[in-house]
């Protein structure tokens, strides 16, 4: 074809290595949304058929165990194929040119699911804001339209920072994540250090008039743990935490240093596991298992509000309240960075219009991809607010992401079996990739079943499912149309891209 119309849009991505080691770890920690998960668990407990045996500490450990195969897959493939778009590149090259239409359907569904999640986070951030302000003595009562505007503004400001420069977006994400983690550690110290008698007295300020600690705690009957309830809680962790390891890999070509590329996934996984599990244990330690379970299920407390009132210090309470909001902003900050890398990779493979891979000469950022992200996310925030008036209406969209991850696992197994590429993978690494890929696919298939089996719990509605079905279908159609246009207009078959690894 010559230099004017090669396999890819250009010979290099044009992206710059802006992310250091802590940036790479931070973006994955933000991706796994610890602070939001701790704040939101009560919404899930409230809709479960029973909370008997819902031990969140043990459920977190079990969910993390289920995620270990994915950690191995993503660590190996990020190390050997560090490219913009991460798992999209791996999946597309594993399935190859003949199944490129499927790859594109799955990845567009994954992109839209990610934007749906950011809409969920932005909307729930407003709810968290309304929860903490009264504790700080600030009255807050927002109507649905005000919630939609504030949620959209949260994401819009962060998108604007990323448009002004990738380094600014990465620094903002890292600062927000670091401050959020400091707040979370401080909250755990407060919870672990507060004597039970003092905690009981302090927490009463969050209970409705006439409701006592003893009355709430006595409402729990049954054992402290059952495996059935732990498995019922797995979808909650799938929505917020453990499968979300794709952020570092998605920007792998922009990470400085081989050690940062190699270790960002396992290190962020271990930090997240410790923070989340200890966060749940801190609530049990300070307030007791029975009270914590029933108070969460009835919406009386969440992790952050409990730590704020137990601190009995206005300065600490303010810091914890701010930190709880910063967690949501950190998640939005990682999202503004990551999803545009998928748009970029699709355009780089000539599937999507090249303007998605266009870098602003002034800012050096994919400006059109950022704007697209904001418009879709704002539309989803508006739809969730007007149609359902709750962010949990968007939970069901995660089903598509699980299916996408299932195919990534299958693709990893294929790569391991076929000795894909010349990446110097030894026999032991290929075997680990194959076994972990198969196990990852099985885990994702099981989680998909959990979501579909209990739609009333996990947000199974026409908004969440309809958006994802439309996205998958649109992705397939766009690929076929783009391939047809490129063949007719340029005599070039874009499916060739799926037999080659793109440049860095």
């Amino acid at each position: 074809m010559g230099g004017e119309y090669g396999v890819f849009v250009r010979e290099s991505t044009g992206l710059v290595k802006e992310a250091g080691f802590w940036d790479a770890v931070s973006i994955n920690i933000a991706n796994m949304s610890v602070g939001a998960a701790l704040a939101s668990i009560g919404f899930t407990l409230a809709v479960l058929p029973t909370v008997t045996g819902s031990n969140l500490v043990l459920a977190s450990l079990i969910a993390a165990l289920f995620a270990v195969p994915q950690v191995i897959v993503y660590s190996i493939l990020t190390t050997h194929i560090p490219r913009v778009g991460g798992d999209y590149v791996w999946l597309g090259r594993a399935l190859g040119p003949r199944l490129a239409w499927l790859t594109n359907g799955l990845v567009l569904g994954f992109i839209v699911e990610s934007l749906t999640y950011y809409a969920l986070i932005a909307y729930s951030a407003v709810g968290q804001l309304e929860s903490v302000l009264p504790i700080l003595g600030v009255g807050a009562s927002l109507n649905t339209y005000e919630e939609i505007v504030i949620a959209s503004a949260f994401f819009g400001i962060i998108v604007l920072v990323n448009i002004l420069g990738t380094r600014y977006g990465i620094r903002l994400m890292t600062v927000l994540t670091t401050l959020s983690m400091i707040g979370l550690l401080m909250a755990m110290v407060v919870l672990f250090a507060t004597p039970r008698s003092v905690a009981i007295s302090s927490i009463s300020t969050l209970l409705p008039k006439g409701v006592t600690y003893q009355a709430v705690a006595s409402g729990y009957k049954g054992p402290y743990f059952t495996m059935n309830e732990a498995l019922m809680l797995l979808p909650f962790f799938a929505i917020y935490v453990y499968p979300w390891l794709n952020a570092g890999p998605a920007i792998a070509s922009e990470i400085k240093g081989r050690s940062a590329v190699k270790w960002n996934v396992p290190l962020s996984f271990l930090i997240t596991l410790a923070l989340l599990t200890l966060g749940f244990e801190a609530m049990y330690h300070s307030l007791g298992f029975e009270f914590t379970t029933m108070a969460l299920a009835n919406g009386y407390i969440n992790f952050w509000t409990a730590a704020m009132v137990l601190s009995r210090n206005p300065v600490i309470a303010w810091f914890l309240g701010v930190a709880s909001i910063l967690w949501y902003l950190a998640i939005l900050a990682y999202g503004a960075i990551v999803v545009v890398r998928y748009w970029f990779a699709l355009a780089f493979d000539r599937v999507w219009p090249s303007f998605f891979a266009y870098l602003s000469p002034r800012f050096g950022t994919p400006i059109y991809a950022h704007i697209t992200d904001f418009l879709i996310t704002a539309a989803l925030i508006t739809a969730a607010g007007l149609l359902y008036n709750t962010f949990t209406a968007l939970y069901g969209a995660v089903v598509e992401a699980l299916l996408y991850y299932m195919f990534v696992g299958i693709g990893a197994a294929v790569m391991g079996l076929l000795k894909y590429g010349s990446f110097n993978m030894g026999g032991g690494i290929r075997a680990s990739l194959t076994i972990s890929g198969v196990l990852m696919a099985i885990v994702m298939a099981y989680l998909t079943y959990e979501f579909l089996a209990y739609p009333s719990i996990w947000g199974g509605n026409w908004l969440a499912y309809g958006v994802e079905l439309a996205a998958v279908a649109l992705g397939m159609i766009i690929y076929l149309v783009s391939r047809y246009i490129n063949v007719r207009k340029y005599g070039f078959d874009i499916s060739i891209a799926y037999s080659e690894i793109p440049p860095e």
Side-chain angles (χ1 to χ4, degrees), residues 358-368:
Y358 168 82
L359 296 179
S360 165
R362 182 176 180 181
F363 304 118
T365 56
I367 184 171
Y368 299 122

Side-chain angles (χ1 to χ4, degrees), residues 251-271:
I251 65 164
S253 65
E254 300 166 76
I255 296 175
K256 294 179 286 188
R258 294 292 296 174
S259 60
V261 172
K262 181 177 182 180
W263 293 108
N264 74 88
V265 170
L267 184 57
S268 57
F269 169 76
L270 292 173
I271 292 173

Side-chain angles (χ1 to χ4, degrees), residues 128-214:
Q128 178 64 12
L129 182 64
E130 291 179 279
S131 296
V132 303
L133 286 180
I135 300 174
L136 301 174
V138 180
S141 179
L142 302 173
N143 61 42
T144 300
Y145 296 100
E146 290 169 334
E147 291 173 344
I148 290 171
V149 170
I150 294 172
S152 299
F154 279 157
F155 193 52
I157 293 170
I158 288 171
V159 167
L160 178 60
V161 172
N162 278 271
I163 287 175
L164 295 177
T166 297
R167 65 182 180 277
Y168 302 133
I170 290 175
R171 297 299 172 266
L172 176 64
M173 177 277 303
T174 302
V175 169
L176 288 172
T177 304
T178 302
L179 289 174
S180 301
M181 291 174 64
I182 292 171
L184 179 53
L185 291 171
M186 183 179 291
M188 287 194 289
V189 169
V190 168
L191 291 169
F192 276 120
T194 304
R196 178 69 60 85
S197 59
V198 176
I200 291 173
S201 174
S202 300
I203 205 68
S204 63
T205 61
L206 293 180
L207 301 179
K209 186 177 181 180
V211 177
T212 66
Y213 173 93
Q214 289 75 16

